[in-house]
Amino acid sequence: MIKELVQAQQMFFASQQTKDVAFRKKYLKKLSEEITEQEDAICDALYADFKKPKFESMATETQFVLAELNHAIKKIGEWSEPIRVSSSLSNFPSQDWIQPEPYGKILIIAPWNYPFQLVIAPLIGALAAGNTAVLKPSELSPNTSKIIVEIIQKVFPQEYVAVVEGGVEVSTSLLAEKWDYIFFTGSTQVGKIVYKSAAEHLTPVTLELSGKNPCVVDETAKAPLAAKRIAWGKFINAGQTCIAPDYILVHASKKEALINELKKYITAFYGENLELSKDLARIATPKHYEGLKQKLEGESVLLGGSYNDKDQFFAPTLVDEPTLDSKLMEDEIFGPILPIISYENVSEIHDVVSRYEKPLAFYVFSQDKAFQQKLMNDYSFGGGTINDTVVHISNKQLPFGGVGASGIGGYHGKHSFDLFSHHKSIIKHATWFDVPLRYAPYGISDYIMRKIKYLF
Ligand code: NAD
């Protein structure tokens, strides 16, 4: 079935229909209309999967992709235009340009944590650029996967866009096929498997992976605002956000104030009894939930620390000074546990940050411009924010992605269009004149050679 689907998409792409900008626009508009119509049903599916609060579902999933869609629909004509560049003297007279062209068949594999957004946002870029697509949502968010199938089947013929549901086996079968581009979002571990499969066919990839994201709070930071913005970015989606701050490195002089403010805001956001809050998602998978329980074992809990097997509730939790060789500090936490580690000298920040691979995100809270700049310059990371968390994902002008172990490639807005386009270089050489110089027999004197070498 997968083979036939790939073949059907190959033929559809070869028919050249997707190269027509009006065709792309028509389908992006249909997708936008269908998502708008199904918005409540999508939010219900997200709630059924992990009790994602409706406001969060709209802000980070449906409205997020609708904004991407509307932007692409508006800009697609402009983006698709060939880009004229100046010609080189040696080719005089010529017209030179860069022509974006679609790669062909795209495979998009997505995780469970933002199960709607992370399927649809890359799809928008793939279609805007004129590709066909096969989508593989996560098997661990089955209700969202089901509604994605319904929407896609209603909007697209399957030779243009299709969904293939399933887990590792299905994913493996899909990866065995020859694609023109693979877009993968998920763990670094599985990213390596995807990269290897892609290498078999020399298929280009985007890998949106994970990392352990530091959040530095120095002695000059405004503790109340820092705490408010950290708590928001950490506990939205119950901490199951690839760019959530993973751990805090706070200057020792600011630690007490920051902890008090964090406690205050967590209570203000979610109430005294955290489990009763309607604004906290649950942990989406049993494996992940059990993993969080293990990570918390033996740690010094400052707030939270409770959980409930009944619906995989895990309270927003603050942990005091975990050791760097603890389970909690081993790798990405990806849940609502926030370790707080204090430092006295800047070199101690480096000792912690440099233990890990290049993170997906980096945050610094400080009023000291030189310090902000130093951290932004000294470390390599996917993207970051000064005096806030997570919000760099929301600007379509900024490419979103990782570096090193946290990923390859960046997308959103025009960056998505560019990512899913091959940029073809073309020269149109005039026929009314032909410089004879390049043809053999060369017979050029040293004197002439010296004169013309600047042409090359
Ligand atoms: P995962 O890597 O386990 O799974 C992602 C997808 O790959 C799923 O569709 C799954 O079915 C498939 N898959 C799993 N094992 C596979 C295998 N052996 N071979 C082929 N395919 C396989 O990730 P997850 O647990 O679903 O998602 C959480 C991870 O994703 C976290 O590490 C998080 O940081 C990362 N993430 C990154 C971003 C980003 O934009 N960089 C966004 C969200 C999540």
Side-chain angles (χ1 to χ4, degrees), residues 110-113 136 139 171 185-187 190 208-210 242 332 400:
W112 49 262
N113 64 322
K136 212 297 278 171
E139 70 282 18
S171 201
T185 309
S187 59
V190 178
E208 297 283 339
L209 308 176
S210 51
C242 55
E332 173 197 39
F400 177 76

Side-chain angles (χ1 to χ4, degrees), residues 18-300:
T18 65
K19 303 252 178 95
D20 177 18
V21 170
F23 175 90
R24 302 181 200 175
K25 249 190 198 175
K26 180 179 94 179
Y27 275 100
L28 288 174
K29 275 186 188 154
K30 281 173 89 165
L31 180 60
S32 171
E33 283 158 19
E34 191 57 26
I35 291 173
T36 305
E37 185 154 332
Q38 299 264 26
E39 187 165 30
D40 282 345
I42 297 164
C43 293
D44 290 347
L46 288 157
Y47 189 82
D49 278 335
F50 59 112
K51 290 200 175 165
K52 180 153 177 158
K54 186 164 186 177
F55 176 80
E56 288 186 13
S57 290
M58 289 178 74
T60 67
E61 310 253 9
T62 54
Q63 290 301 319
F64 186 96
V65 302
L66 284 170
E68 278 278 323
L69 267 166
N70 294 336
H71 185 62
I73 292 164
K74 222 182 281 167
K75 295 280 186 179
I76 188 172
E78 184 188 309
W79 295 343
S80 311
E81 288 286 317
I83 304 156
R84 286 289 298 268
V85 297
S86 55
S87 37
S88 52
L89 201 57
S90 58
N91 292 324
F92 178 81
S94 75
Q95 289 171 15
D96 302 20
W97 69 90
I98 301 164
Q99 188 167 314
E101 69 163 10
Y103 282 103
K105 314 174 300 296
I106 312 283
L107 173 63
I108 295 171
I109 301 177
W112 49 262
N113 64 322
Y114 285 81
F116 188 75
Q117 187 217 120
L118 295 174
V119 172
I120 305 296
L123 174 66
I124 296 165
L127 300 186
N131 301 282
T132 70
V134 168
L135 315 174
K136 212 297 278 171
S138 174
E139 70 282 18
L140 303 174
S141 42
N143 294 287
T144 310
S145 180
K146 191 160 159 271
I147 195 141
I148 290 172
V149 173
E150 278 171 32
I151 291 170
I152 297 298
Q153 283 184 350
K154 197 159 169 207
V155 174
F156 302 97
Q158 67 160 8
E159 58 273 27
Y160 184 20
V161 183
V163 186
V164 178
E165 288 186 282
V168 179
E169 257 176 54
V170 168
S171 201
T172 307
S173 309
L174 283 165
L175 286 168
E177 297 298 322
K178 187 174 190 311
W179 300 93
D180 298 298
Y181 202 100
I182 299 174
F183 187 102
F184 171 81
T185 309
S187 59
T188 298
Q189 189 193 353
V190 178
K192 289 179 186 172
I193 297 171
V194 172
Y195 207 8
K196 269 192 196 148
S197 312
E200 282 296 312
H201 300 290
L202 289 179
T203 303
V205 293
T206 292
L207 302 174
E208 297 283 339
L209 308 176
S210 51
K212 204 160 172 66
N213 309 319
C215 179
V216 177
V217 182
D218 82 352
E219 62 276 35
T220 69
K222 296 180 177 177
L225 191 60
K228 192 181 186 185
R229 290 178 173 176
I230 292 169
W232 170 77
K234 177 70 182 182
F235 302 117
I236 192 169
N237 217 39
Q240 302 163 111
T241 302
C242 55
I243 50 170
D246 189 276
Y247 60 95
I248 292 180
L249 282 169
V250 60
H251 191 270
S253 66
K254 217 42 168 210
K255 183 179 167 188
E256 200 186 334
L258 186 75
I259 289 172
N260 287 339
E261 293 294 336
L262 278 167
K263 285 179 178 171
K264 189 179 103 188
Y265 279 109
I266 292 170
T267 310
F269 292 169
Y270 308 114
E272 290 285 347
N273 186 339
L274 298 166
E275 200 171 346
L276 295 181
S277 170
K278 294 202 180 342
D279 297 323
L280 273 172
R282 296 312 190 240
I283 305 306
T285 82
K287 184 176 155 214
H288 193 55
Y289 172 71
E290 291 304 326
L292 288 171
K293 283 202 252 178
Q294 283 173 18
K295 280 183 193 291
L296 196 59
E297 265 170 32
E299 294 298 348
S300 160

Side-chain angles (χ1 to χ4, degrees), residues 136 154 204 206 275 333 377-378 394 398 455:
K136 212 297 278 171
K154 197 159 169 207
T206 292
E275 200 171 346
I333 295 170
N377 279 335
D378 285 4
S394 63
L398 298 173
L455 286 177

